Amino acid sequence: MGGLIFIGLTVATGISVYYVMLQQPEYILKLQTLTQNNVMVIEKKINEAILDTQSQINRPFLIQSIQQLDNKSDLITIGYNLKVSIKNDLEESNFTGISLYNSNGKQVLSVGQFSTKIDAIIPVNTSKARVFLLWDNGFILRTNLNIIDLKGKFIGSILSERKLPQLTNMFLKPEKIGKTGQIVLCAPWGMVNRELVCFLTSLSNNYTVEFKPLQRIVNDESLPMDYALKNRSGITIGMKDYRSIPIAGAYSPINMYDLGLVLKIDEEELFKPITSKLGPVALSMAVLIIVGIFLLYWLVRPLVQKLIKSEQELTKRISENACLYAIRKNLLSSSSTNEVCHQIIDQLTKAMQFPQITEIKIELNGQEFLSRNYTSALFHGLQSEVKIKGVSSGSLQVYYSENLPFLIPQEQNLINLIADDLGRWWELIKAEQYITHSAAHDELTGLPNRRLLQDRITQVLAQGIRNDSQTAVLFIDLDNFKNINDSLGHDMGDLLLKEVAARLKSCVRAEDTVARQGGDEFIVILCDISNAQKASVVAQKILDILVSPINIKNKEMHIGCSIGIALFPSDGKNADELLKNSDTAMYHAKESGRNNYQFFTPRMNQLIAERRVLVTELHNALKREELFLHFQPVVRMPDRKIISLEVLLRWKHPKMGIVSPLKFIPLAEETGIIVQIGEWVIKSVCIQIKAWQAQGYVVPRVAINLSIRQLQHKTIITDINRILDETGVEAKYITLEITESMLAQNIEEMKTVLSHLSAMEMQISLDDFGTGYSNLSYLKGFSINTLKIDRSFIQDIVTDPNDAAITVAIIAMARSLNMEIIAEGLETEEQLNFLSKQGCDYFQGYYFSKPLSIKNITNTLIRENSFNKA
């Protein structure tokens, strides 16, 4: 009886040893699968961080802000707006910190917190950016990218840091690999890459990660990591690790970033359950041999059969693992959707229990990929959704053409894993396509940007040479866009640019190109045209379609454009020459009254060069005190009393002499210096008023022209109040002259500003009435005291019935609204008599007086007793 018990115990021990032996290959396969899954996770998370940083530098707002900061324009406002924008991005993303640097490497902005650790960091090799992985109580990815403007010029760089919690958890909780289980992530280091820098799961503390420099080869033997960094993946039993201790584990490259990953356990721990039982088993087996071989044979036979069955299952697992490995390797190396899906079909077919009757269908983003004999009549199968960012974008369907059983859950799990891999691959491909598209296209309008434009022009010119045809480059600049953008806000401006882009595309053929040069500038390339007339037809079509009102969010906007045209080959032999000359022609179009097109001529280059000189000199005019004021009287009839003065700005250059206001005032508007000049004018007028008052004279109102930029400036009311306080002048002595077109930009904002100015007892005069967006609602809704009839109506009022009729109507309307009316540009007595008969009492023009210097206007006023000593 005791012998039988002894035999039973011995057999039980043998079975236990056998069972443990069966588990070892399963464990190694688990490590290999886990390694491959971890590789996919690491690649995805690193790529997401790089893509998100890339998306930051593709934003036109960020590029423009850095350029403006580098140019030192309005540093406080621009820096504040940029900081708010970046801070909002931090709150909506996983970034912990973002810093911006200018082209000289000087930091211009920093938001969030950055790690100060530099002793636990490894490089991540990527052509897209300078990337480092570091450990600071968790993994952090540090990304550094150059910022390139729309002209391809380096203007600065961005530095970002993002936490990688999934990677941190992977190392701190390595899914119970074992007591000696360890995850190792390394990058090559040193001049010949014979060294490693690595992050390792700590063997002494499960709640931290160690950083170590290691060797790739120890005692002339390669470490598993050396194989991984040689782009090999596999499993190992008995190979020694960096401690020279035999291990069992799996290794794999992270191809995308030149990293290697190893999951391992000490070989001693893996086989300890077997070795601990080998002694008793050996003794028992010796006794059993003596007692009876036949009994052992009888007991072992069913175990052998079970072993054969287990080996079959193991073979199946190895087949599934090989399938996953082949598919994942193909996903890393292939970019063709068709190739990827048919590789999945081939590999998955081989891994199924009955490959000869397996049929597969992949649906991905509206496309279908089918195995060779697939038919829609199949119904006996398994399927799994393909998800992209959690949203179903297709499915992986596997069918048997005969009613045979599937190996569930093994085959279902395999299908799920492949569907998940396919979804992640598709997401990565789309992200890369987005980056590629963003690098060549404008983010706002989707049009080709400056980089792609250069390529398109080069291709079109080559085609033109082959076909002996002409090419036209149209440089389009929107008129008054900045006024709309400043008054209605950048969001409305962006929507307007989108609408303009759509309208431009509707004006050209499919083979032509519409591109956004930057800001409110667009380029149209007309290829293969027979003559210049074709270009003028398209230019006129663009003018007509853009002058039509644009309605956005219940706001009607009016915008036109100026177009410059350069032709190949007569106006340029390459892209740079054509763009430069079309730009020159566009400026000529602006100077010709806007909302027109002009062809390039060599004379234009000279004019543009002169214009650039004028802009430079204008910036220095205030500093050198070259600007001065003239005053022109406004006379009341019939007593000829001077009731007000209009201030006129003049510029005397030391070399160029007197520069016409028609030349320099539009330039001041375009460059923005008009705001500084306008403030100088207001202050100079107030100082002169105070000087006259100090001499004891009664001073009439003085009318000052405001530009649209001044009126839209956020501090206009504050600035005027400050000047009045500084000079001690009362607001009632000032009249502000504005134009109709200024009111049309942003009606509600203009109402608010003009109401404030009127409340200060300033008068508002509407200049050039009848030439702009004449609308009775302006007169009713705004605080306007005076209308000035434009000189263009006065000039031919005696000879042109139309001008006479318009003028009579304006006078009647103004009188009915209790407004004063001034006729400007009066030159003859006939004009005076006609206007007087119609009820116009106030006049301004050469008939009474030309604009006078301060000295001469003072003498004139004294001589005519318009000033009375107090």
Side-chain angles (χ1 to χ4, degrees):
M1 183 68 178
L4 290 174
I5 293 173
F6 177 75
I7 292 173
L9 291 172
T10 303
V11 171
T13 303
I15 293 172
S16 175
V17 170
Y18 166 75
Y19 178 74
V20 171
M21 291 179 65
L22 287 179
Q23 286 185 316
Q24 309 313 311
E26 292 277 351
Y27 185 83
I28 297 300
L29 286 175
K30 176 185 175 183
L31 281 183
Q32 186 179 27
T33 301
L34 185 59
T35 300
Q36 292 169 348
N37 288 340
N38 288 346
V39 166
M40 300 288 283
V41 170
I42 293 170
E43 287 179 337
K44 178 181 179 181
K45 293 304 173 184
I46 292 177
N47 191 61
E48 283 177 353
I50 295 173
L51 290 178
D52 287 347
T53 305
Q54 181 78 47
S55 68
Q56 287 286 331
I57 66 172
N58 286 333
R59 295 166 54 206
F61 171 72
L62 183 140
I63 293 174
Q64 292 169 6
S65 297
I66 290 181
Q67 289 173 325
Q68 291 169 337
L69 286 172
D70 216 19
N71 293 332
K72 297 180 173 56
S73 57
D74 200 2
L75 297 179
I76 296 177
T77 302
I78 295 168
Y80 175 78
N81 292 337
L82 184 58
K83 188 169 186 177
V84 170
S85 176
I86 296 295
K87 189 174 181 180
N88 291 337
D89 289 339
L90 282 183
E91 293 174 355
E92 295 173 4
S93 67
N94 292 323
F95 287 118
T96 56
I98 293 178
S99 286
L100 298 176
Y101 299 82
N102 64 14
S103 57
N104 296 322
K106 180 182 178 182
Q107 187 183 83
V108 296
L109 179 70
S110 183
V111 180
Q113 295 182 336
F114 286 86
S115 172
T116 57
K117 289 235 176 179
I118 57 172
D119 56 345
I121 188 169
I122 66 173
V124 177
N125 186 21
T126 169
S127 60
K128 300 175 183 176
R130 296 174 295 282
V131 183
F132 296 91
L133 186 66
L134 58 94
W135 176 266
D136 189 355
N137 295 320
F139 280 111
I140 296 173
L141 195 74
R142 179 178 293 169
T143 305
N144 185 251
L145 281 168
N146 288 340
I147 303 175
I148 308 297
D149 68 9
L150 296 174
K151 297 181 180 179
K153 178 184 175 183
F154 169 74
I155 62 171
S157 61
I158 184 172
L159 180 70
S160 72
E161 284 192 2
R162 168 178 278 187
K163 289 185 178 180
L164 301 177
Q166 279 189 274
L167 186 56
T168 301
N169 290 335
M170 182 191 301
F171 271 72
L172 298 183
K173 301 176 183 178
E175 295 196 11
K176 300 179 180 178
I177 296 175
K179 291 182 179 180
T180 60
Q182 197 172 35
I183 301 178
V184 185
L185 178 67
C186 297
W189 193 253
M191 294 298 294
V192 292
N193 289 337
R194 292 190 57 84
E195 298 176 348
L196 304 170
V197 281
C198 305
F199 288 116
L200 312 88
T201 304
S202 175
L203 293 175
S204 59
N205 185 349
N206 291 333
Y207 299 101
T208 190
V209 168
E210 297 178 358
F211 175 79
K212 288 185 178 181
L214 302 174
Q215 298 293 321
R216 290 177 67 157
I217 299 175
V218 178
N219 297 328
D220 295 328
E221 293 183 2
S222 292
L223 299 183
M225 185 61 72
D226 183 50
Y227 289 105
L229 292 174
K230 289 177 179 176
N231 203 30
R232 294 166 62 181
S233 60
I235 57 178
T236 177
I237 299 178
M239 185 182 292
K240 293 181 180 179
D241 68 355
Y242 64 93
R243 303 166 301 165
S244 296
I245 295 175
I247 60 165
Y251 51 87
S252 176
I254 304 177
N255 292 317
M256 192 179 294
Y257 299 116
D258 199 14
L259 301 172
L261 188 71
V262 172
L263 269 69
K264 64 186 182 66
I265 187 174
D266 288 358
E267 186 182 66
E268 181 182 357
E269 181 181 355
L270 180 67
F271 292 110
K272 187 174 182 180
I274 299 174
T275 56
S276 64
K277 295 179 176 158
L278 283 179
V281 170
L283 178 62
S284 300
M285 290 300 293
V287 174
L288 285 174
I289 291 172
I290 298 172
V291 173
I293 295 176
F294 74 94
L295 182 60
L296 183 61
Y297 173 77
W298 179 77
L299 291 171
V300 170
R301 183 178 180 184
L303 296 179
V304 171
Q305 292 174 339
K306 186 175 181 181
L307 178 61
I308 293 171
K309 183 178 179 182
S310 296
E311 287 177 348
Q312 291 173 343
E313 291 181 1
L314 184 58
T315 301
K316 177 65 178 173
R317 292 290 184 87
I318 292 173
S319 173
E320 292 174 358
N321 200 63
C323 168
L324 277 174
Y325 176 72
I327 288 172
R328 287 171 175 171
K329 185 176 181 180
N330 188 57
L331 289 174
L332 291 173
S333 61
S334 175
S335 58
S336 164
T337 307
N338 184 67
E339 180 183 349
V340 163
C341 290
H342 281 100
Q343 281 282 345
I344 289 175
I345 290 172
D346 291 343
Q347 294 297 333
L348 184 53
T349 298
K350 296 174 187 177
M352 297 303 292
Q353 183 181 192
F354 302 107
Q356 66 278 8
I357 59 170
T358 297
E359 300 298 339
I360 299 175
K361 174 183 178 181
I362 299 176
E363 294 179 350
L364 185 60
N365 205 37
Q367 292 180 278
E368 288 188 351
F369 305 90
L370 308 174
S371 56
R372 184 173 301 175
N373 298 319
Y374 181 87
T375 65
S376 58
L378 297 170
F379 61 90
H380 179 62
L382 304 173
Q383 73 169 3
S384 181
E385 283 188 303
V386 177
K387 293 185 177 181
I388 300 175
K389 294 184 177 179
V391 178
S392 178
S393 299
S395 64
L396 172 58
Q397 304 168 26
V398 181
Y399 297 92
Y400 283 156
S401 57
E402 299 178 16
N403 192 15
L404 292 176
F406 288 93
L407 288 176
I408 298 178
Q410 292 97 323
E411 289 179 336
Q412 180 66 67
N413 290 340
L414 178 62
I415 294 169
N416 292 344
L417 284 171
I418 295 172
D420 186 51
D421 287 348
L422 181 59
R424 287 186 291 182
W425 173 82
W426 183 258
E427 184 179 338
L428 180 62
I429 289 298
K430 287 301 174 185
E432 290 177 346
Q433 289 175 352
Y434 171 77
I435 289 178
T436 302
H437 184 273
S438 296
H441 291 79
D442 174 50
E443 183 179 9
L444 177 65
T445 63
L447 297 177
N449 61 16
R450 186 180 180 87
R451 296 179 191 175
L452 182 56
L453 175 65
Q454 292 276 350
D455 294 338
R456 291 278 179 89
I457 296 179
T458 302
Q459 293 171 12
V460 170
L461 297 188
Q463 179 184 339
I465 293 172
R466 289 194 302 270
N467 299 341
D468 194 23
S469 61
Q470 295 186 69
T471 297
V473 175
L474 280 63
F475 198 114
I476 302 166
D477 185 87
L478 303 182
D479 297 333
N480 301 318
F481 173 75
K482 180 163 180 57
N483 295 337
I484 294 175
N485 202 38
D486 291 344
S487 60
L488 298 182
H490 294 294
D491 290 342
M492 291 292 285
D494 287 349
L495 293 174
L496 177 60
L497 289 174
K498 285 184 176 181
E499 175 62 23
V500 168
R503 291 191 180 191
L504 291 177
K505 289 176 70 175
S506 71
C507 294
V508 300
R509 303 164 296 178
E511 61 265 32
D512 298 326
T513 297
V514 178
R516 186 181 177 205
Q517 176 87 338
D520 61 343
E521 297 176 344
F522 295 85
I523 304 293
V524 171
I525 309 169
L526 303 177
C527 61
D528 198 20
I529 60 173
S530 55
N531 53 58
Q533 181 63 25
K534 300 289 185 183
S536 65
V537 170
V538 175
Q540 187 60 52
K541 190 176 180 182
I542 291 172
L543 290 173
D544 292 341
I545 200 170
L546 289 187
V547 80
S548 301
I550 297 176
N551 289 288
I552 298 176
K553 292 185 177 180
N554 298 321
K555 289 186 179 293
E556 182 177 290
M557 287 173 275
H558 298 267
I559 194 165
C561 68
S562 301
I563 304 175
I565 305 173
L567 298 174
F568 169 82
S570 58
D571 297 333
K573 307 297 185 189
N574 55 50
D576 290 337
E577 287 182 5
L578 290 169
L579 288 171
K580 175 187 173 184
N581 292 339
S582 62
D583 187 14
T584 299
M586 183 274 294
Y587 275 112
H588 185 57
K590 280 193 177 296
E591 292 173 353
S592 300
R594 304 194 176 202
N595 203 41
N596 70 97
Y597 64 86
Q598 297 289 332
F599 284 87
F600 172 77
T601 64
R603 168 65 179 152
M604 289 180 190
N605 270 327
Q606 181 182 348
L607 294 174
I608 294 301
E610 293 173 358
R611 181 184 183 277
R612 292 193 184 100
V613 171
L614 203 59
V615 169
T616 302
E617 293 301 307
L618 182 58
H619 275 86
N620 296 320
L622 268 177
K623 300 176 186 176
R624 296 193 296 234
E625 298 182 352
E626 296 170 4
L627 299 177
F628 60 95
L629 302 179
H630 273 184
F631 295 81
Q632 188 173 30
V634 175
V635 177
R636 182 179 64 195
M637 292 297 287
D639 60 2
R640 292 179 176 261
K641 181 178 177 63
I642 297 176
I643 54 94
S644 67
L645 306 171
E646 181 180 359
V647 178
L648 300 169
L649 182 63
R650 296 293 183 260
W651 177 20
K652 186 175 182 180
H653 189 272
K655 293 183 179 178
M656 294 183 286
I658 297 295
V659 182
S660 169
L662 297 177
K663 278 189 175 182
F664 75 82
I665 289 181
L667 283 182
E669 286 273 8
E670 289 179 27
T671 57
I673 196 175
I674 193 68
V675 176
Q676 293 173 265
I677 292 176
E679 184 171 334
W680 176 86
V681 169
I682 296 172
K683 189 168 186 177
S684 298
V685 167
C686 289
I687 291 172
Q688 184 58 52
I689 290 173
K690 198 65 179 175
W692 280 329
Q693 290 175 340
Q695 296 173 45
Y697 297 120
V698 176
V699 183
R701 284 185 178 269
V702 181
I704 303 171
N705 288 282
L706 286 185
S707 76
I708 181 63
R709 282 185 179 247
Q710 283 177 276
L711 197 59
Q712 290 176 341
H713 203 267
K714 294 179 180 179
T715 61
I716 177 67
I717 297 172
T718 305
D719 292 340
I720 292 177
N721 267 318
R722 172 176 48 79
I723 292 172
L724 294 175
D725 289 341
E726 289 174 355
T727 58
V729 172
E730 296 178 61
K732 66 181 182 180
Y733 290 102
I734 304 294
T735 296
L736 298 176
E737 290 195 1
I738 61 176
T739 63
E740 291 178 85
S741 58
M742 292 162 67
L743 300 180
Q745 301 301 327
N746 188 343
I747 295 175
E748 294 305 318
E749 185 176 335
M750 292 300 103
K751 280 183 180 179
T752 302
V753 172
L754 295 182
S755 295
H756 277 291
L757 295 173
S758 294
M760 294 163 58
E761 296 188 26
M762 286 189 174
Q763 286 201 357
I764 306 299
S765 177
L766 193 58
D767 199 8
D768 301 335
F769 187 77
T771 62
Y773 303 99
S774 298
N775 191 322
L776 294 180
S777 65
Y778 297 159
L779 304 181
K780 182 181 69 173
F782 290 94
S783 303
I784 297 172
N785 308 102
T786 306
L787 292 185
K788 296 186 76 173
I789 305 175
D790 187 69
R791 67 181 65 248
S792 62
F793 298 117
I794 305 301
Q795 185 176 2
D796 299 322
I797 196 170
V798 180
T799 58
D800 190 331
N802 292 327
D803 285 348
I806 292 172
T807 303
V808 169
I810 293 174
I811 293 171
M813 179 183 61
R815 290 174 69 88
S816 66
L817 293 173
N818 295 318
M819 292 182 182
E820 293 181 351
I821 187 156
I822 300 173
E824 60 179 351
L826 189 78
E827 295 182 355
T828 68
E829 188 168 354
E830 290 82 359
Q831 294 168 349
L832 174 63
N833 292 335
F834 178 87
L835 291 166
S836 296
K837 289 178 183 179
Q838 301 303 322
C840 182
D841 298 326
Y842 302 107
F843 304 92
Q844 178 182 349
Y846 275 49
Y847 180 77
F848 293 104
S849 174
K850 65 180 181 180
L852 302 172
S853 66
I854 293 176
K855 178 181 178 181
N856 289 336
I857 191 66
T858 303
N859 292 335
T860 298
L861 293 172
I862 294 172
R863 185 171 59 250
E864 296 188 6
N865 297 315
S866 292
F867 281 179
N868 301 311
K869 279 283 186 179

